[in-house]
Structure formats: structure tokens, C-alpha cells
Amino acid sequence: MRRQIGSPRAANAARILSLTLLAFGLLASCFGDNQGGAALRLSAPDELDGGDTAELTISVDGAANNEEVNVELSASTGTLSSAGVVVVTDAQGHGSVSVQYTAANETGPATINAAASAPRLGTVGATKQIKLYEVTRVGNVTPITNTVKEQDYLTAFPINIPTNGTLRKLGVVAPEPATVVIGLYDNTPSIDGDTPNAALARGELSLAAGVNELIVEPRALSAGKYWIVVTYNGEATTARDAINLVTGRTLTDYSFGRGLPDTLPSMNLTTNMGERNLYIVLRR
């Protein structure tokens, strides 16, 4: 009489276990040591105005510990501050580095491509698309070399917008650091001529030497005359054109702490005012 060793149920269980182990072995041979998934990522704003400079962050995951990963970069339009970077990973195989991307002044997509390679990471790629908008900067963008001391009273300068557009930013080119409240106001006739009236956009801006832009709520503007109004926090050094003069408005009985109101009070007509480095940014 033959002796039976083990039950059919036990034999089936053994076969299932064997097949399971075989499956895991096949998966391991196909994927290898993937560190939970190697990845290269690009992070940047989804949209930019022409001329804007933004931070582009390159991130690596799944590389070896303390590995140097070479990353090559390219952009379909606009400029990158570097065409190649080295990302050094930490003890978990993660790392990141940033470069600057400056948008071309055109409407349409910009595609940024990245390709990375390292022994353990292998070769991986990533793409980031940014929507660009063509803009025009209306006013005095070119730095004026002549400077004066500006008091903290209220000063308004006329600005003529040649075409319809969408307001995006208010700009100041500053010769040195300062703090300013800046606003764009519509124009209204008065007894002694045109004058600024109602606020369209405004905000406080901490100025560094050079170009400074304040992002404001988008607003459709028609072609015509407007006013840029400023008040500085205490005495500030500002750029003033000594040749190109305009007729503006001032109010000396005013101070920075009052900010800019919804509707401006009556301001004094002031002739022979030197133009300032003030401008607006419009999307076309």
C-alpha cells in the first residue's frame, strides 16, 4: 500500500507560493533597483509676461546618495541663465537647484526641456511649458541719470496709453532703495486742466536699486490719458529728467502714512515737472 505524503491542498499552496516568488523575481529583473522611481522635475510659473524673469527649479529623485547629476537645459524661446547644471543629491537621493528663465516678449507657449544622466539614475527627461504674453511698457523705462530728493507728499505724473490693453504691473526704476506707494488713476477735466481722479490700481512697493514692478489685479484699459501717482516714505532719492518736462499735480499737505485714497483730493497744478522713471506694463 502506497503512503500519501501531504495533502492536495498543501501541494496547491506550494505551487502558488512558487509562482508568486517567480513573478517577483521577474519584476525585479525587469525594473532593477529603481529607488522607488527615478524622476526629474521642472517647476516654474505657468504663465509669464514678456521680459519677466522667474525661477526655474530642477529637482531630482531616485539617484544614488550624494551623487552628482548632470542636467542639460534648453528653451524654445526666452533665455536661461545656464544651459547646464549639476544637482548634488542628499542621503536619500534627492536634490534640487535653480536657474533663472527670462521670458521672450511674445504671445505663445515656451517649452523648457531638461535631460539628466547619472550612473544609478540612468537617463531621464522632463518638460515644462509656460504660457507667455506679449506686453508693452508705457512710460519711462530707460534709467534717468539725474536724481533729486523727493519728499513724502503726493505727486502725480500724466501718462498716455496709445492702445487698449490689460494692466498687469506698475513700475519704478529707482536709483537707490526706498519705499513708495504707487497708483494708477483715471483722468478727469477740472477748472485748471486735467487732473487724476479715481484709483484703478495701487499698492506699496519696497524699491531696490534698478527695475521694480508691482503686480496688480488685471484691468482692461482703453487708450487715453491716465496718471501715475506716488508718495514716498520720507525723503527719497528719485530719478528726474531735467530736459523733458511735463505738467503734473502735487499736494504738499500730504504724507506717506495716508496711502493712496479711492478718489484723490484736489491737487495743485504744477508746471515744468521733470519726468520720472515711472511706467505701467500692459498685456496686448
Side-chain angles (χ1 to χ4, degrees):
M1 182 176 181
R2 184 177 297 174
R3 184 180 179 186
Q4 183 176 358
I5 301 176
S7 65
R9 180 177 298 177
N12 287 336
R15 283 195 296 272
I16 292 171
L17 176 60
S18 177
L19 290 172
T20 302
L21 291 174
L22 177 61
F24 275 115
L26 288 173
L27 286 171
S29 66
C30 291
F31 291 99
D33 184 4
N34 200 31
Q35 295 288 298
L40 176 67
R41 294 190 302 275
L42 299 177
S43 300
D46 292 328
E47 60 179 50
L48 290 171
D49 289 327
D52 280 357
T53 296
E55 190 172 85
L56 172 71
T57 301
I58 305 100
S59 302
V60 171
D61 291 302
N65 301 345
N66 304 313
E67 184 170 26
E68 292 187 356
V69 180
N70 295 301
V71 183
E72 295 182 357
L73 300 167
S74 64
S76 62
T77 186
T79 58
L80 292 160
S81 60
S82 177
V85 294
V86 176
V87 179
V88 180
T89 61
D90 59 19
Q92 286 73 46
H94 311 303
S96 65
V97 68
S98 295
V99 299
Q100 301 296 309
Y101 171 73
T102 301
N105 192 24
E106 59 190 44
T107 297
T111 303
I112 301 175
N113 293 306
S117 61
R120 192 172 183 181
L121 183 70
T123 300
V124 292
T127 298
K128 171 65 181 180
Q129 278 210 335
I130 302 174
K131 190 173 184 180
L132 305 184
Y133 293 91
E134 183 179 3
V135 298
T136 180
R137 285 169 167 80
V138 182
N140 294 309
V141 181
T142 304
I144 298 170
T145 56
N146 187 58
T147 61
V148 294
K149 292 294 184 182
E150 195 89 31
Q151 302 300 318
D152 65 347
Y153 50 73
L154 209 57
T155 311
F157 301 90
I159 181 172
N160 290 298
I161 297 177
T163 59
N164 299 347
T166 301
L167 178 66
R168 293 289 297 165
K169 302 180 184 80
L170 306 177
V172 181
V173 183
E176 63 180 44
T179 302
V180 65
V181 176
I182 181 172
L184 182 70
Y185 283 73
D186 65 7
N187 178 67
T188 189
S190 67
I191 296 175
D192 58 353
D194 290 343
T195 189
N197 181 42
L200 303 175
R202 56 198 157 162
E204 184 174 318
L205 190 56
S206 295
L207 304 176
V211 175
N212 303 266
E213 292 183 345
L214 175 70
I215 298 174
V216 297
E217 189 73 20
R219 187 184 188 108
L221 298 178
S222 300
K225 184 175 183 178
Y226 296 83
W227 296 81
I228 297 179
V229 182
V230 294
T231 177
Y232 287 86
N233 186 10
E235 189 177 71
T237 300
T238 65
R240 184 181 71 177
D241 195 323
I243 299 175
N244 297 308
L245 307 178
V246 297
T247 296
R249 295 276 178 174
T250 57
L251 184 61
T252 57
D253 185 20
Y254 206 86
S255 63
F256 173 85
R258 294 172 63 181
L260 292 179
D262 293 337
T263 304
L264 288 172
S266 177
M267 300 179 68
N268 300 317
L269 185 70
T270 306
T271 58
N272 298 325
M273 292 176 62
E275 290 190 352
R276 305 299 205 272
N277 263 148
L278 304 172
Y279 63 94
I280 65 173
V281 179
L282 292 177
R283 277 186 183 174
R284 295 180 181 178

